[in-house]
Amino acid sequence: MTPPSSTARKAFVVENPDDPSAAMTGPIQNRWAFLVGINDYRDSQYGTLNYCVNDVTTLQSLLEQVGYTVVCLHDQLDARSARFPSRKNIEDEFKQLAQHVGPNDLLLVYFACHGTRAGDGLPRLIAEDTRSYDLANQAVAVADVENWMRDSGAERLVLMLDACHIGVGTDQRNMADPEFIRNVH
């Protein structure tokens, strides 16, 4: 994997669904990964990134080698592809994947892209088609991603964000913070 730039912030969140005290019910049956990498953006307000697509395609290859089923969206695909990382495609592809995820499964979600806390101050991920003047409606709220993950039904959830300016990195939170790591098994 390529090293992150000096402005990148990485957040690693592992959590259980609604009841963090619930014990896992058994061994992991299936491993699923949802990966999004964006280097180029439609809105010139967002600069080009160099390594995000390479990071997700490399991670895809590694995860597939160890038995994950991977859905990978990135901007080197044809813009007409359902896996091109527009805001709508990200949500639609995630919801389609979530229909296959079961309670004894592991779901890993990884975004490598620009991020922001502009406007309402909530952490958001910048999709390929996000326009800077309408972040609330066009960017992907991290809270939405967390909700999609919980709604999948998987008991084992891992969210990794490699997105600058979202303010949820380990340098801004104590690792013992229960909001950062709710339950690790």
Side-chain angles (χ1 to χ4, degrees), residues 43-123:
D43 189 327
S44 62
Q45 188 78 346
Y46 304 110
T48 299
L49 298 172
N50 295 317
Y51 305 109
C52 296
V53 172
N54 185 55
D55 288 353
V56 296
T57 56
T58 300
L59 184 57
Q60 175 183 12
S61 176
L62 293 171
L63 291 172
E64 287 174 345
Q65 289 175 33
V66 295
Y68 278 75
T69 300
V70 178
V71 172
C72 185
L73 287 79
H74 61 79
D75 62 2
Q76 289 183 354
L77 296 170
D78 186 305
R80 295 170 295 184
S81 169
R83 294 205 174 159
F84 190 78
S86 67
R87 167 69 169 91
K88 181 172 179 4
N89 286 353
I90 290 169
E91 183 173 1
D92 290 350
E93 288 295 302
F94 189 93
K95 289 181 177 181
Q96 187 174 24
L97 170 68
Q99 293 175 5
H100 303 285
V101 176
N104 288 325
D105 293 351
L106 181 146
L107 175 59
L108 179 144
V109 176
Y110 174 71
F111 279 81
C113 59
H114 279 299
T116 187
R117 290 183 77 92
D120 57 13
L122 297 175

